[in-house]
Amino acid sequence: ELRQALGGCQDGVHQAKDLLVQNRLPGGTVLDDVIAQMRAIERGTEDVAISEFNSSHQTIKEGIRRANELNAALIPTVVGDLEHSRRVLLTQWPFLDQESDLDASVRDAALQLADLLERETFFRELGDIDRARKLIEVEHDRRFGAALAEKVAEYQGALEHLVTTPGWAELADDAKEQIVAGLHTHANDDGSGRPSIAQLRADREACLARLQQAVHSVHQINDGDRIATVDAKPFFLGGVDDMEQLEAALTGLRDECQRLIADGKKIVIR
């Protein structure tokens, strides 16, 4: 009777163990020990079975209780939530961890979530796991939204500037579409592609260079090889402290422009 009773319980323990293994969840070794003790009772002589049961009945009882809890808790939606929590730790948290202005509560939530997901009793902590994950997600989504809005605003401003470029109105429609395409894509980004926050920030920083390239394309189409771009930055390296330095920088810039004009070039300053 003892062996028969334990045999019926083994199915539930095995089911719980399979759920843990299939979903890469902790606690499998605890059930392995219970299964091993059940098998020892099942396969031993009557005296051995009684002896094993007397020494391990409390462990077996706890193991069966744990298996029942696991089988009841690990429904598909819960398993999906746990996998989602792991992804949040692997994808969203590493970025937030590098943010210098991160609130301590978010960092505490990440530490708690990592700890809870590693516990053998994680199935008794599902509420805390959910709360910690959501706190991280909310902060990540907030920063994503801010980065997206800043990038979009930057590129919308670039588009407004581009259409005021001398010569823009004279371009053919297909030329305008080709020049504006890259800026337009970023200016109308709705975030549905889920780029990383780092990518959004990098694209925002690249806006000025892309705008300058677009302006250069406008001039090049209208004026061809006559266009010469002059970068003013080298003339002001190290900054300007007084009028003498300012005059020297402007003189250098003026000389370069005069040289290019004498060669028949049309100058674009950047």
Side-chain angles (χ1 to χ4, degrees):
E1 291 180 0
L2 173 62
R3 288 170 176 165
Q4 187 175 6
L6 289 178
C9 294
Q10 275 194 63
D11 291 341
V13 178
H14 278 291
Q15 180 184 346
K17 170 66 186 304
D18 289 343
L19 280 172
L20 295 177
V21 172
Q22 291 166 8
N23 297 290
R24 299 176 292 113
L25 294 168
T29 55
V30 174
L31 297 183
D32 280 336
D33 292 341
V34 175
I35 291 170
Q37 289 170 345
M38 285 181 165
R39 284 176 177 169
I41 294 173
E42 183 181 39
R43 296 171 182 175
T45 63
E46 185 175 336
D47 290 341
V48 170
I50 293 173
S51 175
E52 285 287 342
F53 180 75
N54 287 336
S55 63
S56 62
H57 72 278
Q58 191 60 41
T59 300
I60 292 174
K61 179 181 177 181
E62 171 59 28
I64 293 172
R65 184 171 75 89
R66 177 178 293 225
N68 290 337
E69 285 186 70
L70 283 165
N71 289 328
L74 295 182
I75 59 177
T77 53
V78 170
V79 171
D81 288 342
L82 289 167
E83 176 59 28
H84 183 50
S85 294
R86 282 200 294 253
R87 286 200 304 272
V88 166
L89 274 180
L90 289 173
T91 60
Q92 297 186 4
W93 170 241
F95 171 81
L96 292 176
D97 190 27
Q98 302 301 314
E99 296 285 272
S100 60
D101 61 340
L102 188 68
D103 191 272
S105 63
V106 181
R107 196 171 300 281
D108 290 342
L111 294 173
Q112 181 189 32
L113 182 57
D115 175 60
L116 291 174
L117 289 173
E118 291 297 322
R119 290 185 188 179
E120 294 176 348
T121 55
F122 70 90
F123 55 94
R124 296 170 184 162
E125 315 280 357
L126 297 177
D128 288 338
I129 289 173
D130 191 55
R131 280 188 289 274
R133 185 200 76 231
K134 285 181 178 177
L135 200 155
I136 298 169
E137 284 185 302
V138 166
E139 180 62 18
H140 187 274
D141 288 348
R142 183 185 72 80
R143 290 174 186 259
F144 179 90
L148 178 63
E150 289 168 4
K151 185 194 81 164
V152 167
E154 195 81 13
Y155 279 88
Q156 288 177 346
L159 287 173
E160 292 172 3
H161 179 86
L162 179 62
V163 299
T164 65
T165 301
W168 174 261
E170 288 72 38
L171 295 179
D173 288 343
D174 59 342
K176 289 180 179 178
E177 290 177 6
Q178 185 176 359
I179 292 171
V180 83
L183 298 177
H184 192 269
T185 296
H186 292 291
N188 291 280
D189 189 357
D190 61 2
S192 58
R194 300 306 296 179
S196 67
I197 298 175
Q199 183 62 56
L200 290 171
R201 291 175 179 176
D203 284 332
R204 183 194 65 199
E205 292 296 323
C207 181
L208 178 59
R210 289 168 177 165
L211 172 60
Q212 289 173 341
Q213 181 57 49
V215 170
H216 178 75
S217 296
V218 173
H219 293 308
Q220 195 165 41
I221 292 173
N222 285 318
D223 297 289
D225 293 338
R226 287 189 61 234
I227 292 297
T229 301
V230 176
D231 187 355
K233 291 181 182 178
F235 298 98
F236 293 89
L237 290 177
V240 175
D241 293 325
D242 52 44
M243 292 303 297
E244 183 177 350
Q245 291 178 351
L246 176 61
E247 185 61 32
L250 293 175
T251 297
L253 179 59
R254 185 187 306 110
D255 290 345
E256 178 63 12
C257 291
Q258 287 177 341
R259 181 185 67 78
L260 292 169
I261 291 172
D263 288 341
K265 300 293 185 181
K266 182 176 181 178
I267 299 170
V268 177
I269 303 292
R270 70 174 183 184

